[in-house]
Amino acid sequence: MLTVTYALASFVPAGTGTAIWPLTAVLCIGGFGLGINHTSLLNLLTATVSPRYAGTLSGTVNTLSTVVGVTGVALFGAAYSWFGRSAWAGSATAWVLTCAGLALIAGLCSFAALRAIATAPAGPPDPDATADATVAPTTVFSTKENTGHTTPTAD
């Protein structure tokens, strides 16, 4: 959906006033597709990783999302600005080329994700997952006295 959105966005005229609504509608469809994809990916990742690596997964996903988002905005913003100021392109061509580049990147990422899913080995279950499941949960906060002082309770 995101790839199609970027491809369609290059043909939607952008402007001020009521001309912004067609572009807004197209980008909302892309945002919806991105949201569905991101949620599904996070569900898949968290279901397959051992609980002991949950913190590492969370840090990696959040860091990569931020770094990739900032890098994409910087690169495509610079490309749009450069194309827009060039003598041969102009703002309309800059818009089309930037959207086409975004569509190409989104399409390549979609292809790579589908290929990774199709070629992923089934593999045996993670032994850490069963070991972690058999360990009784520990209390982080308790009301027991330890060497003359009490710790706060979470209850």
Side-chain angles (χ1 to χ4, degrees):
M1 286 178 82
L2 193 58
T3 304
V4 171
T5 295
Y6 286 137
L8 286 176
S10 65
F11 298 107
V12 175
T16 58
T18 58
I20 196 72
W21 290 110
L23 180 61
T24 302
V26 168
L27 292 177
C28 283
I29 293 168
F32 179 73
L34 181 63
I36 290 172
N37 184 9
H38 190 70
T39 303
S40 300
L41 179 62
L42 287 178
N43 286 339
L44 176 69
L45 288 173
T46 56
T48 57
V49 73
S50 171
R52 88 189 260 193
Y53 299 115
T56 303
L57 173 69
S58 175
T60 302
V61 167
N62 289 314
T63 301
L64 286 176
S65 294
T66 302
V67 169
V68 169
V70 168
T71 304
V73 167
L75 290 176
F76 284 98
Y80 177 76
S81 177
W82 183 77
F83 287 137
R85 286 181 296 177
S86 68
W88 62 272
S91 62
T93 304
W95 175 252
V96 170
L97 291 174
T98 303
C99 288
L102 288 167
L104 177 66
I105 296 295
L108 289 173
C109 289
S110 297
F111 176 74
L114 290 173
R115 183 159 165 77
I117 290 169
T119 60
D126 186 4
D128 290 336
T130 56
D132 290 342
T134 59
V135 175
T138 59
T139 304
V140 176
F141 297 107
S142 70
T143 56
K144 293 183 180 179
E145 292 189 22
N146 296 327
T147 62
H149 66 280
T150 59
T151 56
T153 181
D155 296 327

